[in-house]
Amino acid sequence: MNAAQTAAFQANSGITPPDMATVLLGAVFAVLLVWGAWAMRSAYVGWAEGQFSQRQFLVVVVRLAVLYLVLTFFLLS
């Protein structure tokens, strides 16, 4: 963004572009963590009720961990 665009953005939103990027990244990671907790809880309930094997439960946990690490690498680098 050039200086005029940055000034217009800040005048209309009241926040600087880097601050907005921080808010958006925080929102993405918050949604990811809430979704991950829901997915792990659902997998745990399925495992506890005998609908999932322990291997399937671990696959869910590992996939979530890998997803979080990949998004962290790409979004925060």
Side-chain angles (χ1 to χ4, degrees):
M1 290 174 49
N2 61 29
Q5 291 172 330
T6 302
F9 181 86
Q10 189 168 357
N12 287 318
S13 67
I15 188 170
T16 63
D19 291 340
M20 180 60 81
T22 302
V23 168
L24 291 175
L25 281 174
V28 167
F29 282 108
V31 168
L32 179 64
L33 286 175
V34 169
W35 178 77
W38 170 80
M40 285 196 308
R41 184 197 173 280
S42 296
Y44 175 75
V45 168
W47 174 65
E49 293 178 353
Q51 296 172 352
F52 278 4
S53 68
Q54 185 175 6
R55 177 172 160 62
Q56 289 172 316
F57 174 70
L58 291 175
V59 166
V60 169
V61 173
V62 169
R63 283 183 180 177
L64 288 171
V66 169
L67 176 65
Y68 192 76
L69 290 173
V70 167
L71 278 176
T72 300
F73 176 75
F74 284 119
L75 293 177
L76 296 180
S77 62

